[in-house]
Each structure stands twice: as structure tokens, then as C-alpha cells.
Amino acid sequence: MHSLITDNFTTKAAQEKFSKIGISHGIDLLLHFPLRYEDETHLYPIDSLSEGTIIQIEGIIIRNTVMYRPKRQLVLKIKDDSGSIFVRFINFYSSQIKTYAVGKRLRLLGEVRLGVFGAEMVHPKCRVVREGELLPDLLTPVYPTTAGLSQRTIRKLIQKILICSDWEHNLPEILPKEILKNYQLQGLKESVMFLHQPSPNTATQSLHERTHPAWQRIKFDELLAQQLSMRLHYQQRRSHTAPALPAKNKLTKALLESLSFSLTRAQKEAFSEISKDLSAAYPMQRLLQGDVGSGKTIVATLAALQAIENGYQVAIMVPTEILAEQHYQKLSGWLEPIFLSLGMTIVCLFGNQKKSQRKAALIAIAKGNAMLSIGTHALFQEQAEFNNLGLAIIDEQHRFGVNQRLALRAKSAKINLTPHQLAMSATPIPRTLAMSYYADLDVSVINELPPGRTQITTKLFSNTRREEVISRIKEACDEGKQAYWVCPLIEESETLQLRTALETYATLSLIFTNLRIGIVHGRLPSQEKLAVMELFRQGDIQLLIATTVIEVGVDVPNASIMVIEHAERMGLSQLHQLRGRIGRGIDASICILLYQKPLSITAKERLKIIFENTNGFEIARHDLRLRGPGEFLGARQSGETMLRFADTERDENLLNNACDAAEKILCNDPDLAKNHIRRWLKGKGEYLQV
Ligand code: ADP
Ligand code: MG
């Protein structure tokens, strides 16, 4: 295929710009589809315009003034046979005042708005024309671009390539006829040609909403590439070797017998799936998904014991120090009696640990007497060398970046075996995402909560009713209950967030003079952070002022009240996670969401959703609808979404078809699968390996 490099059409500078938007070959250009289209094929009479439409008009400039109020701006008045309209430029060059002189004929394309003086266009696309100047006969595509690369340049280059491409050679139809027929797909060349230069009679809505058959074909291809790549990774993983860690039912049985509770049906099922995976000689890559408080930790601990009873080490990686410490305590409580007689130890790695302690832990990990280690990712990444890591457990996996997860896996390269991996998350995956972005993972779901949990009542209070909230907290704490007071999230600045937390602490200390109050935030030295959490756990602190550091994993069953300030600033999953810190004990729990008016539409919607739902799955479904998959997937996609055109929610039908087709293709023609992936994904599939 022609490379842009040898194409004398562009300069070197332009080539660099193109590569910035992922284009280095002609084929990339062909598959660089417009974001939208502008209809410059018609001129509309000015008096026919309605507000909010984007439309092209032409007329004579009858007024040209620079106004200074409310802001310096250039205002034109344009007139055609039917009426007149104002045009405003808030930013303009002085040369424009001359270019748009009274009497000139101007052709404009822009959105019609209702301004102070009547109908107006602000910063339309416009140029001076001669009377009768020809109109284009195709819709004008608008492409994704980058600074310094004009639409004109992209358009010209794409036009050129459309004309001189040897399609058979460069972009042949590789999908078999039956597939095209089965799923009613239009030809590839036809679709590509059409999307770059659609005729003006096309229903523009079908172009914008991407329901047109040409778009359907492109989206299908893209989804198919994603499916194929996921499945190939899945297969490839099975070709790696992992230590086989079959169930021996010794340590696991001992733990189960020592627990004060028995596992729920869902926990048992999840563990049996994990247990089976561990016994295979290829690496498990399983996601254990269960709502906040569903009891994932004990399942993970059982998995750890199965590895340990086979003589392999286990690492548990968590996103925060508070969580590392909490797991360390909990797991020590469960496991020390079992480990003690066997001479095994558990170690914990966290930030401000004493040097000597850290060193001892690292040695124990390297030598292999520390069978279980718990810590934050940073520490594992930088310092730990395992003797024989058999299983890596990643708690709250949605909080980790891709590279952090890859790094832990690489830790065991020494023994030439890939460790098994168990990821845990409370963020449920809606069906379409599970089918698409997560198709390479096996998933176990804990879909019930342990018995005896109390419902959490959620209340919404405007900030004006703060007093009322304060007196409720006072009463509850006087009755011996414990509460969290969560400070507002301030995204722009961590310093500001800290300041707010300290201020809240100061104010509340003055109000609740007879309560024992503590504060925990991200900047507190680790030891202090842990000490505060410990005091709270033991009931010595009654009211804990906290930033969102307590968002994940924290488990203090006696705490039954939570106040969240500025709840309108928080995302759905964050609110759900935070609220999940309560409702863990025997006391009826209450979560008070304080909000500040005015509320944006989405904020209002979020608060309504969190108020009405306690089921994490429902909340996640709403979240996906509100935010789209890019946000939802977070770190997993490392910013670059694999799907540029398709939308798994809206294109569920195509996704189903692509799933079907992928299965057939992999079975019948693996080479075709690889070609198709190469065409559509270039390097993007790599991120799937984690
Ligand atoms: P999460 O899934 O959010 O990580 P945890 O593992 O922290 O939840 O469990 C929440 C609490 O429930 C813990 O205190 C845990 O000991 C307890 N728990 C777990 N499983 C059961 C069970 N089957 N019966 C009763 N309590 C349980
Ligand atoms: Mg947890």
C-alpha cells in the first residue's frame, strides 16, 4: 500500500501530524472515517432557518461594526432575498474587518441561535464568494484531526487515495460471502467509498447516528476484530505454562473449619471455579466480581491457601495502604493459627514501614518462607523478588493501571512459569461490556450478600439542612454507634481537598465536643493512617472524618452511619463504593448524602439513581449509560479505546453477530482472523494481555 512517506503529496511536517492521529499508511487513511458531515450542497433562505439547526446560507454584508459591549466583537449583518441575520465573531483578526466589508457576498455555514438582536450565527464557517459560485455536490466530511492539520489537507489526501487505490490489492474484501450474507452486510469498498463521500440525498440522520448500512459494515468489522483478538489472547494464554496447583483440601479445610461463618452458595461456587482453574497447568486469568461486601476476601484467601498447600507463594496486591493493612490484619487472624505450626509467615509491605521491617519482609519473600505477602502495587513492583510465585491476587482491580498489572505478572519470570492471576472487583460488568472488552477473561460472580446484612437507608439532604444531619449524628454516636463523615472530593487539587478535610475536622470537632473524633486522609504518614483506622476499628474513635481514601475495601462492621458531603460531585461507582463501607454489621445503617444546589442534570440523575438503587449491578448499568464505556473501563484501556466507531451498548446486535462470526472464523480460517485483526487494530490488542 502506498506509504505517505514516499508520497510527494505531503510534507514531512504533515507526515508527522498524520502519524499523531495514527495514520502512516494509505490504508489508515481509508479507514479514517469522518466524525460528521456538513451539508454545503444547498443554500437555504435566511427566513427559513430554525433555531439549533446547522445550515448553509449566502447573502450580502449590509453592516459591519466592531462592538465593545459586553465584549469586543465583530458583528456583521447579512441579507438575502428573504431576510437577514447577524453574525458575531468574538475572536477576530483586524484583517477580517476588511475582508468582510459591506457589499461583499458571504457564504456561511453554522448553527442558528437566537441572540439578543434576533437570529444569529456565532463564529460560522464562512468565506467571501462570487455570485453564482458552484456548490459541492457531495456532503463535506469532517475528520478527526490534530492541531495544524487542516480538514482540507486530510480531505484532499483521502480523495486522492480513494481514486488511485488498487482496492483488490490494498483493501480487499476478506470476509467470506456467507458471513456477509448471514449478517446482511454491505461490501467493504462500497462502504468505505460511501462514508468518505456520501451523496446529499442520504438521510443525514442515518449518517450521524451511524445506522446507515455503510456504518454498520464498518462497525461490524471493528467489533469482529475486537472479538477475534480477545479470543486469540485467550487461546494464547492457554499455551503458557503455569504451576498446576490442585486442591489438596488441607489448609483450605482447616480455614473453613475455623471460620465463625459458613460460605454462601455463591462464594462456594466462585471458589470451586477458581480451584479448578488453579489445578490446570496454564495460567488462570479470572475476575472475581461481587458487589461491595459480598465477601470476596475469604474466597481469595481460600484460593491463596490452595496455592500455598502446593508449596507456591501468593501475593495480594491492593491499591491503598489502608487496605493493605486491613487485609494483613484480617488474613493474619485467619491464617496465623494454621501457618504457625508449619513455620510459614505472612508479610506486609507498605509505605513508611521501618527499614529493618521492610528488609526482613523482602528477604522472607525472596527466600520463600513468606508464603503470603500483601502490599501496595508500588512496593511489589519496585522491590519484591519472589522465590516461587504461583498466584497473584489483585484486589479492586479497576483501580490499577495496565502496566502495574503486567509488572506483577513479570515477577515470576524467573521460574519460567506464569503465575495464575485472580483479579477482584466490586464493579460489575454489564453484559455488553463482558461480551466485548472482557471477553478474554473468565468471570466468577458472587451474586448474593452474606446473610444477616441490614438494608442501608439512603437519604438525600440539601446542604441547608446540615444542622439536622449534625444532630442525628450526635444522637447516633451517643447511642454507641460509629460514623464516617466523608469530605468532598476536589478533583482539581489534592492540596485543596486536604485543606477542606482539615477544615471539616476542625469545625466538627467544635460541634461534637463530647465525641472522640479522628481524621484520615491520603497525606497522613502511613503509620498514623493505620493507627487511626485501628482506633476506629476498635471503637475508640466514634466519628471518623475521611477523604475518599476510605473508598475501597475498608471493613469496619460496627460503623453504621455515613455522611457524604457534596455527594453531587462524586461518580456513581464511587458513591456506591463509599456507601458499601456501612451496612456490614448488625445495626440498621443509614447513608446521608449532602448536596449543594444548584445541581446539574447529570448530578441530579446520579443522586436519583444512588438513592433508588442499592444493587451494584443496576448502578453499573446506569453508570455505563451515563458515561459510556471509555470512562467505565478506566485503566484497562489505557486511554486508547479499542473501538473507534462501534458502541457496545447501542450496537448490541452487531456485537452479537460479531461474536458468532468470530467463533466461526477462528474455527475455519485462523489466517483470516489474523489478517482482519491487523487491518483494524494495529497495535491496540496488546493491552488485552492483562
Ligand atoms: P468485599 O467483597 O467487599 O471485599 P469483604 O470480603 O470485605 O467484602 O467481606 C465483607 C464482610 O463480610 C467481612 O467482614 C467478611 O468477614 C464478612 N463475610 C464474608 N463472607 C461471609 C459469610 N459467608 N457470612 C458472613 N459474613 C461473611
Ligand atoms: Mg474487598
Side-chain angles (χ1 to χ4, degrees):
M1 178 114 224
H2 12 224
S3 154
L4 290 175
I5 317 281
T6 55
D7 200 321
N8 54 20
F9 187 82
T10 54
T11 62
K12 183 127 183 82
Q15 279 166 24
E16 274 165 21
K17 296 262 157 58
F18 274 111
S19 75
K20 225 175 172 178
I21 52 173
I23 295 174
S24 48
H25 297 283
I27 184 171
D28 306 334
L29 265 177
L30 287 177
L31 301 181
H32 189 67
F33 294 111
L35 289 170
R36 57 191 175 85
Y37 302 87
E38 286 171 348
D39 186 358
E40 294 176 305
T41 65
H42 289 89
L43 290 174
Y44 291 84
I46 290 178
D47 72 350
S48 73
L49 308 184
S50 51
E51 199 185 346
T53 48
I54 295 175
I55 233 159
Q56 185 171 246
I57 56 174
E58 187 175 308
I60 308 291
I61 303 173
I62 56 169
R63 212 174 109 188
N64 170 323
T65 21
V66 176
M67 298 205 333
Y68 288 88
R69 249 175 278 165
K71 236 184 182 172
R72 183 168 175 269
Q73 51 184 309
L74 174 62
V75 180
L76 308 176
K77 191 171 183 185
I78 314 288
K79 182 180 172 311
D80 72 0
D81 293 340
S82 72
S84 61
I85 187 170
F86 286 94
V87 174
R88 289 198 290 132
F89 298 91
I90 312 215
N91 298 307
F92 60 96
Y93 298 107
S94 29
S95 64
Q96 283 176 298
I97 306 176
K98 241 200 197 139
T99 313
Y100 302 144
V102 168
K104 293 251 171 99
R105 174 177 287 273
L106 206 55
R107 191 174 281 178
L108 322 119
L109 179 95
E111 187 180 345
V112 184
R113 295 206 218 154
L114 218 50
V116 192
F117 310 114
E120 63 171 25
M121 284 184 181
V122 180
H123 282 267
K125 175 175 166 186
C126 62
R127 66 193 176 96
V128 173
V129 292
R130 280 171 289 110
E131 183 167 5
E133 193 158 315
L134 286 180
L135 291 161
D137 50 13
L138 295 170
L139 296 181
T140 315
V142 180
Y143 292 99
T145 186
T146 179
L149 190 59
S150 75
Q151 287 293 332
R152 218 173 97 85
T153 311
I154 301 184
R155 257 177 230 147
K156 267 173 92 173
L157 199 51
I158 289 182
Q159 286 308 323
K160 180 172 173 182
I161 284 179
L162 281 176
I163 293 164
C164 67
S165 270
D166 170 1
W167 289 82
E168 263 319 297
H169 184 237
N170 297 331
L171 198 64
E173 178 68 80
I174 51 176
L175 294 190
K177 286 209 175 62
E178 318 85 85
I179 289 197
L180 299 185
K181 194 162 151 257
N182 261 349
Y183 305 113
Q184 298 175 336
L185 297 166
Q186 145 178 325
L188 182 63
K189 176 178 175 187
E190 186 190 347
S191 305
V192 172
M193 295 283 269
F194 178 84
L195 291 176
H196 287 298
Q197 40 193 18
S199 75
N201 319 331
T202 318
T204 38
Q205 199 173 351
S206 74
L207 278 178
H208 285 144
E209 293 179 356
R210 301 189 171 172
T211 50
H212 190 279
W215 265 128
Q216 297 281 310
R217 169 59 202 264
I218 299 306
K219 293 195 285 188
F220 176 86
D221 274 29
E222 191 185 41
L223 288 164
L224 179 64
Q226 190 200 33
Q227 285 299 318
L228 290 170
S229 135
M230 292 280 191
R231 282 162 203 250
L232 277 180
H233 278 299
Y234 189 89
Q235 289 179 1
Q236 273 162 15
R237 180 156 45 81
R238 301 209 157 198
S239 65
H240 291 208
T241 318
L245 309 170
K248 301 211 157 141
N249 294 323
K250 269 164 42 198
L251 303 187
T252 46
K253 186 155 169 265
L255 174 61
L256 284 172
E257 281 169 359
S258 73
L259 288 177
S260 60
F261 54 80
S262 50
L263 297 188
T264 61
R265 173 199 51 79
Q267 283 172 316
K268 280 185 198 147
E269 272 168 27
F271 177 57
S272 95
E273 285 168 356
I274 295 167
S275 168
K276 198 158 150 237
D277 280 6
L278 286 175
S279 66
Y282 50 81
M284 160 169 84
Q285 194 164 359
R286 188 170 280 277
L287 178 70
L288 175 59
Q289 192 262 302
D291 209 346
V292 182
S294 61
K296 296 182 288 293
T297 319
I298 184 67
V299 175
T301 310
L302 288 165
L305 285 183
Q306 183 166 328
I308 292 168
E309 64 190 10
N310 280 281
Y312 278 85
Q313 287 175 297
V314 177
I316 302 183
M317 182 159 91
V318 297
T320 65
E321 288 188 345
I322 290 181
L323 203 49
E325 171 71 13
Q326 178 185 290
H327 276 345
Y328 178 64
Q329 293 205 344
K330 179 151 236 172
L331 269 61
S332 299
W334 282 336
L335 300 181
E336 250 162 16
I338 301 174
F339 279 11
L340 213 54
S341 56
L342 301 170
M344 298 175 179
T345 51
I346 309 177
V347 296
C348 189
L349 292 173
F350 55 87
N352 291 5
Q353 207 166 16
K354 275 200 212 116
K355 269 229 171 79
S356 56
Q357 233 176 357
R358 162 86 50 83
K359 202 165 161 214
L362 288 171
I363 290 173
I365 291 173
K367 283 204 164 151
N369 5 358
M371 291 309 281
L372 183 61
S373 42
I374 300 170
T376 52
H377 54 85
L379 294 166
F380 276 123
Q381 211 159 315
E382 286 159 21
Q383 307 183 344
E385 292 289 343
F386 290 88
N387 179 40
N388 61 349
L389 183 64
L391 168 64
I393 297 174
I394 301 167
D395 199 9
E396 310 291 350
Q397 66 99 30
H398 57 286
R399 303 276 297 230
F400 289 102
V402 169
N403 296 333
Q404 293 167 335
R405 279 185 273 158
L406 275 179
L408 189 59
R409 174 150 351 138
K411 279 295 174 190
S412 213
K414 265 170 125 187
I415 53 171
N416 282 333
L417 291 174
T418 309
H420 296 278
Q421 194 181 82
L422 176 66
M424 300 198 281
S425 171
T427 307
I429 316 164
R431 197 185 87 88
T432 54
L433 284 193
M435 271 175 75
S436 50
Y437 292 96
Y438 287 90
D440 60 328
L441 292 180
D442 293 302
V443 181
S444 297
V445 180
I446 304 185
N447 57 4
E448 62 183 339
L449 294 180
R453 288 291 160 81
T454 45
Q455 266 285 324
I456 304 175
T457 315
T458 302
K459 305 218 175 231
L460 283 169
F461 275 65
S462 154
N463 203 22
T464 49
R465 291 169 65 192
R466 223 181 150 78
E467 291 296 314
E468 217 176 304
V469 174
I470 286 174
S471 60
R472 276 185 180 231
I473 298 292
K474 208 174 224 159
E475 274 168 35
C477 288
D478 283 343
E479 287 170 16
K481 293 182 178 158
Q482 283 179 280
Y484 293 98
W485 190 291
V486 183
C487 297
L489 175 72
I490 296 169
E491 266 181 347
E492 312 82 270
S493 148
E494 208 193 326
T495 331
L496 210 59
Q497 175 157 3
L498 176 62
R499 204 173 77 201
T500 317
L502 293 172
E503 279 166 11
T504 311
Y505 177 66
T507 326
L508 293 179
S509 304
L510 289 177
I511 296 174
F512 299 113
T513 41
N514 58 350
L515 291 187
R516 295 183 302 277
I517 306 186
I519 178 170
V520 61
H521 54 76
R523 288 285 181 83
L524 219 54
S526 324
Q527 298 293 2
E528 236 173 282
K529 212 182 317 184
L530 304 177
V532 171
M533 289 312 293
E534 190 50 34
L535 286 175
F536 188 54
R537 187 166 300 123
Q538 296 182 355
D540 290 336
I541 289 175
Q542 293 166 285
L543 178 64
L544 183 65
I545 319 292
T547 58
T548 47
V549 290
I550 59 147
E551 177 183 338
V552 289
V554 169
D555 184 37
V556 180
N558 194 43
S560 61
I561 303 173
M562 176 173 282
V563 177
I564 303 179
E565 287 212 61
H566 279 288
E568 80 280 359
R569 290 187 194 164
M570 299 195 193
L572 277 176
S573 79
Q574 189 165 36
L575 286 169
H576 180 61
Q577 288 272 351
L578 279 169
R579 185 173 58 180
R581 300 306 117 225
I582 55 173
R584 293 174 168 247
I586 37 171
D587 280 334
S589 293
I590 175 168
C591 178
I592 299 174
L593 304 177
L594 275 173
Y595 63 88
Q596 177 92 54
K597 281 192 216 170
L599 292 175
S600 70
I601 294 176
T602 26
K604 212 179 255 177
E605 192 161 356
R606 279 198 307 256
L607 290 177
K608 182 168 182 285
I609 293 165
I610 203 79
F611 176 73
E612 288 175 352
N613 296 279
T614 47
N615 179 313
F617 190 81
E618 278 303 304
I619 293 171
R621 222 171 40 80
H622 288 292
D623 207 15
L624 178 63
R625 180 173 55 79
L626 287 181
R627 294 193 303 163
E631 288 280 310
F632 199 90
L633 294 164
R636 185 169 168 83
Q637 289 285 288
S638 153
E640 187 164 30
T641 19
M642 196 165 31
L643 297 177
R644 285 179 294 164
F645 312 116
D647 168 328
T648 51
E649 265 313 83
R650 275 173 55 169
D651 299 318
E652 194 172 344
N653 239 341
L654 286 174
L655 176 61
N656 283 329
N657 293 346
C659 260
D660 264 12
E663 201 167 311
K664 284 182 203 139
I665 291 175
L666 276 180
C667 207
N668 302 333
D669 193 347
D671 283 340
L672 167 59
K674 288 189 183 127
N675 285 337
H676 188 79
I677 293 173
R678 201 168 311 128
R679 173 178 286 181
W680 285 96
L681 296 183
K682 292 185 260 170
K684 289 180 188 158
E686 283 157 27
Y687 285 107
L688 296 174
Q689 294 179 23
V690 285

